[in-house]
């Protein structure tokens, strides 16, 4: 059992580093960049609170588990912002390869059974094909929209994002997993983009 | 539906403030104090990874949900460290009353059904009587022990904590929900307290 606990804590102590990975998005009050650890907590809370927005067949407990591990690869790769043109491109072949290598290392710290299960959850999130993953991805797109709205622009201002770009880069993905939610959020963003 | 979403996001935006509540414990690398948002994420991940340490009758999905909301009252009350003698005392009548008032305000932002459910989860955690809450409390005590171990002392050094105080303030509670885990961790801490 000791070896198993050593592996479990090697992973949990390594995971701590996600708290030092900074995102492009700020806190709601705009005071500082958000880190990927606290972002993962906020997203899991989103799933708990917005469960009534999930489509049929979505298991919120699995969505929460998925969101808890969805950004761990950023410990090696960093956050790859959607709206930025610098560094690794979001969804590029290079980014996908770097994240797979990071997953090998990080989930590989765990006992084999646990590492296999959590990596499968992360891969399911990345593939965005199951109802659980599609809803999780929607929430991952909603949370930065709310932070930008609350902080008065955030990354939309930094990267000169237009309403059309928000629709094509973000809105389409939110609408796929949570159509009523995107409809409501779009209404909230209208005043900002009409300014 | 719009009113409901407004209430859900009023809560989720308010919850963001937990990322600005600082704890006595530092990150594993000792670089800065941990905040209660990222702490809540790390704990939920602890539950996912250490599920095999839970006793019979523990529902890990409920433990994870509980841990996601367990510190929200700190938005109003702040973190009340176990080892510190300053400010509000951990578990004192004053702290309990202040936290109940905070729960009224924060969970009260939600639609009635959701607010009721999440507040009940938080109250169950605080009461520490059900198997789920007892295990959740154990994890909440384990995580700072690991941070102190990894960072070379942390709050044990700050507050001159002895091995006996660690046993009585922390170990007893960890052992209640996860006895094998406390046995292993105590072995890990022996070298530090023998220095």
């Amino acid at each position: 059992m000791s070896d198993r606990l050593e592996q479990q804590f090697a992973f949990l102590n390594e995971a701590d580093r996600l708290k030092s990975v900074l995102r492009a998005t700020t806190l709601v009050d705009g005071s500082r960049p958000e880190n990927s650890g606290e972002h993962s907590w906020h997203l899991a809370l989103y799933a708990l609170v917005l469960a009534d927005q999930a489509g049929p067949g979505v298991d919120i407990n699995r969505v929460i588990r998925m969101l808890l591990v969805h950004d761990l690869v950023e410990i090696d790769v960093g956050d790859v912002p959607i709206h930025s043109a610098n560094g690794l491109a979001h969804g590029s072949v290079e980014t996908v390869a770097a994240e797979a290598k990071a997953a090998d290392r990080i989930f590989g710290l765990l006992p084999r059974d646990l590492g296999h299960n959590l990596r499968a959850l992360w891969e399911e999130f990345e593939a965005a094909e199951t109802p659980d993953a599609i809803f999780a991805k929607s929430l991952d797109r909603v949370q930065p929209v709310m932070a930008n709205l609350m902080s008065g622009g955030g990354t939309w201002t930094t990267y000169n994002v237009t309403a059309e770009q928000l629709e094509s880069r973000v809105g389409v993905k939110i609408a796929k997993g949570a159509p009523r939610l995107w409809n409501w959020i779009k209404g909230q963003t209208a005043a900002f983009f009409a300014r």
Side-chain angles (χ1 to χ4, degrees), chain A:
Chain A
M1 186 191 81
S2 297
D3 283 354
R4 187 171 170 89
L5 279 172
E6 268 166 37
Q7 293 173 313
Q8 286 162 307
F9 280 106
F11 172 85
L12 289 170
N13 287 329
E14 181 68 14
D16 197 80
R17 294 175 60 200
L18 195 61
K19 303 169 188 170
S20 301
V21 173
L22 298 186
R23 294 165 46 80
T25 311
T26 67
L27 299 191
V28 158
D29 67 7
S31 60
R32 63 165 173 82
E34 187 185 38
N35 73 58
S36 294
E38 62 200 4
H39 163 73
S40 298
W41 162 71
H42 207 182
L43 269 189
L45 194 66
Y46 263 62
L48 196 51
V49 166
L50 296 170
D52 57 3
Q53 295 291 325
V58 171
D59 177 343
I60 287 295
N61 290 323
R62 287 193 79 246
V63 170
I64 290 172
R65 286 167 180 244
M66 209 175 270
L67 290 169
L68 292 175
V69 302
H70 85 291
D71 268 347
L72 282 171
V73 294
E74 293 185 358
I75 290 170
D76 289 354
V77 181
D79 179 51
V80 182
I82 293 174
H83 297 302
S84 166
N86 299 326
L88 282 172
H90 197 90
S92 71
V93 175
E94 292 78 10
T95 305
V96 170
E99 290 183 345
K101 197 176 156 194
D104 288 344
R105 185 184 75 75
I106 296 164
F107 294 114
L109 295 169
L110 284 164
R112 190 179 300 262
D113 59 325
L114 256 178
H116 177 82
N117 290 347
L118 296 192
R119 191 191 169 126
L121 262 183
W122 171 74
E123 286 181 352
E124 181 179 336
F125 174 81
E126 286 295 311
E129 288 169 355
T130 64
D132 292 350
I134 290 169
F135 187 61
K137 282 268 180 189
S138 292
L139 298 179
D140 192 28
R141 293 290 186 278
V142 170
Q143 190 253 5
V145 168
M146 291 311 296
N148 283 349
L149 260 178
M150 296 294 292
S151 64
T155 59
W156 299 335
T157 305
T158 313
Y159 301 121
N160 290 310
V161 176
T162 65
E164 292 69 30
Q165 288 170 332
L166 184 70
E167 177 78 37
S168 65
R169 295 174 184 170
V170 174
V172 172
K173 293 211 173 149
I174 297 176
K176 195 173 174 193
R180 288 180 300 149
L181 191 51
W182 174 238
N183 192 46
W184 182 81
I185 289 167
K186 201 156 60 169
Q188 305 290 306
T189 65
F192 176 84
F193 288 104
R195 83 203 183 285

